[in-house]
Amino acid sequence: MKAGIVGLPNVGKSTLFNCLSNAKAQSANFPFCTIEPNIGVVNVPDSRLEKLQELVDPERVIPATVEIVDIAGLVKGASKGEGLGNQFLANIRETDAILHVLRCFNDDNIVHVDGSVDPIRDKETIDIELQLKDLEAVEKRLDKVKRAAKTGNKEAQKEEEILVLLKNNLEAGVSVRAVDLQKEDYVDYVKPLQLITDKPVLYVCNVDEKSALEGNEYVSKVREMVQNENAEVLYLAIGTEADINELDDYEERQLFLEDIGLNEPGSAKLIRSAYALLNLETYFTAGPKEVRAWTIKKGVSAPQAAGVIHTDFEKGFIRAEVISYQDYTSYGSESKVKEAGKIRVEGKDYIVSDGDVMHFRFNV
């Protein structure tokens, strides 16, 4: 599962990528600094994993991860191939969610591709290009469906109705994620199209250091603009986060954060938000050799969760022994949980809850 960092050139995408992944993507004060997408595998900060490590004292600890992709900046006309448009759109189509970075700070020393700071205009520029690309895909599909609909095919007529709805909305500047659709219509006709503006989005407002704690007027405008999109807005001082990241000493980092009023890096919150945006959650396995966080899609069954460890676990699934995270930490060890009768035995229909500590029994 991949989240793609997108935005206009020079808004802080590569600097953010470096903060998140500790990779060193090239970052400079000129447009199109990033051409090929940079990919980083990022650990998901999780205090529950730290607590389990403290209780179990294993030989090793393995956190959950999420893949972050830093994609080339987009400019007006990208849907027609301007700038690096075709490459950008191909790269973003391969991601599962979008982290849309907006410049929300003033600094005359950092060039803006459009000459002035206006996150609302910047957002609209990218939205329009993505909507135009989706409109192209919808119209192409609609041409095919119309022929079948004219023959009286009921299924084709229903699909035509949905595609016309999408077309009208996209032409009106409404992204697919904001279109009101019945769940079955979405699953049958919209999801298979893999439209770019259907992807979940998190708006990341890049602010200056003094706005790191409470945001600023630009952030308020972005919040107001996206309120009908069912999208989250986060703000962080990306440049400041980058400076903190350069410090080798953990205590120095914490002092720096405290100086600006933060108790953790904003990037940690962003990673957790990206994880949630991708509709992911975590279950744990815990033993003397290893405490590990496993990534699953929300709503999966116990056998599917077991299959994340190994396909044989899913094929030969017999049962799952489950301890809630709350019970594990309250009693302090697996043996004490067992003594208290708090280990549950669950079968194939069990839907895994975020934070479950699990053992699987299987036979192949």
Side-chain angles (χ1 to χ4, degrees):
M1 300 294 289
K2 292 190 286 192
I5 301 176
V6 305
L8 290 175
N10 225 24
V11 296
K13 300 185 307 300
S14 294
T15 306
L16 175 61
F17 176 81
N18 289 337
C19 287
L20 297 179
S21 66
N22 289 325
K24 295 300 174 188
Q26 189 186 4
S27 175
N29 186 20
F30 57 89
F32 303 124
C33 177
T34 300
I35 297 176
E36 292 298 327
N38 296 294
I39 300 174
V41 178
V42 181
N43 291 341
V44 179
D46 194 330
S47 58
R48 298 172 301 179
L49 191 65
E50 294 166 18
K51 182 64 177 176
L52 289 171
Q53 178 183 7
E54 183 186 311
L55 294 173
V56 178
D57 191 25
E59 291 176 17
R60 62 178 183 163
V61 177
I62 302 177
T65 59
V66 63
E67 202 166 279
I68 304 290
V69 186
D70 175 26
I71 296 170
L74 175 145
V75 294
K76 203 174 289 182
S79 59
K80 303 300 180 189
E82 290 294 326
L84 298 169
N86 291 329
Q87 187 169 339
F88 172 97
L89 293 162
N91 291 333
I92 195 173
R93 200 179 289 282
E94 292 172 8
T95 66
D96 303 288
I98 297 169
L99 307 179
H100 186 161
V101 180
L102 295 165
R103 177 170 169 176
C104 294
F105 67 90
N106 296 310
D107 187 338
D108 293 339
N109 295 318
I110 299 178
V111 178
H112 189 290
V113 72
D114 285 330
S116 62
V117 177
D118 184 347
I120 303 306
R121 178 202 60 211
D122 295 354
K123 177 188 176 307
E124 287 175 341
T125 296
I126 286 195
D127 282 351
I128 288 167
E129 296 306 323
L130 300 185
Q131 288 159 4
L132 286 171
K133 203 66 184 174
D134 278 352
L135 183 59
E136 193 180 293
V138 168
E139 287 177 335
K140 192 174 178 182
R141 177 66 186 165
L142 189 55
D143 285 344
K144 289 182 180 178
V145 170
K146 275 181 176 176
R147 290 194 288 272
K150 282 178 182 175
T151 67
N153 184 308
K154 298 291 185 189
E155 184 76 10
Q157 288 172 350
K158 179 63 180 176
E159 184 174 0
E160 181 183 19
E161 180 188 322
I162 299 301
L163 290 171
V164 169
L165 176 65
L166 293 183
K167 181 176 183 289
N168 291 341
N169 274 276
L170 287 165
E171 287 176 338
V174 178
S175 293
V176 173
R177 74 179 76 85
V179 179
D180 188 19
L181 293 161
Q182 296 292 325
K183 187 177 179 181
E184 57 272 22
D185 292 339
Y186 172 78
V187 171
D188 291 344
Y189 309 118
V190 181
K191 192 176 180 181
L193 295 174
Q194 295 182 303
L195 298 171
I196 299 173
T197 67
D198 185 34
K199 297 177 189 294
V201 63
L202 170 67
Y203 293 99
V204 183
C205 296
N206 184 9
V207 301
D208 51 22
E209 186 176 317
K210 68 177 186 293
S211 305
L213 196 56
E214 296 182 355
N216 58 27
E217 187 182 343
Y218 290 133
V219 176
S220 300
K221 286 180 179 177
V222 172
R223 285 192 193 282
E224 188 180 339
M225 188 180 191
V226 307
Q227 60 187 351
N228 297 323
E229 274 194 48
N230 191 27
E232 189 180 349
V233 176
L234 280 181
Y235 54 87
L236 67 156
I238 294 174
T240 304
E241 297 267 339
D243 290 341
I244 293 171
N245 240 31
E246 292 297 318
L247 299 172
D248 294 325
D249 186 79
Y250 174 79
E251 288 185 6
E252 271 191 273
R253 289 188 184 191
Q254 291 306 114
L255 285 170
F256 199 143
L257 286 168
E258 286 169 17
D259 282 347
I260 58 175
L262 300 175
N263 56 14
E264 70 169 351
S267 54
K269 185 177 180 183
L270 176 56
I271 294 165
R272 289 194 295 269
S273 295
Y275 195 69
L277 190 69
L278 289 163
N279 202 32
L280 302 176
E281 60 186 15
T282 302
Y283 76 87
F284 302 101
T285 51
K289 287 193 175 297
E290 178 182 279
V291 167
R292 182 165 183 163
W294 298 90
T295 300
I296 52 172
K297 293 282 283 183
K298 287 181 183 175
V300 306
S301 65
Q304 288 171 320
V308 173
I309 299 175
H310 197 286
T311 52
D312 284 351
F313 281 33
E314 183 173 1
K315 289 175 188 171
F317 180 88
I318 299 171
R319 66 178 184 273
E321 295 171 4
V322 183
I323 306 169
S324 73
Y325 172 77
Q326 287 76 15
D327 283 341
Y328 204 111
T329 52
S330 295
Y331 290 97
S333 71
E334 187 173 325
S335 58
K336 287 180 181 174
V337 172
K338 193 174 287 186
E339 285 172 18
K342 293 289 186 177
I343 294 183
R344 307 192 313 275
V345 176
E346 302 286 0
K348 291 182 178 181
D349 295 332
Y350 177 67
I351 302 301
V352 178
S353 294
D354 186 50
D356 279 349
V357 182
M358 307 184 77
H359 291 298
F360 297 106
R361 303 298 177 198
F362 70 102
N363 183 31
V364 288

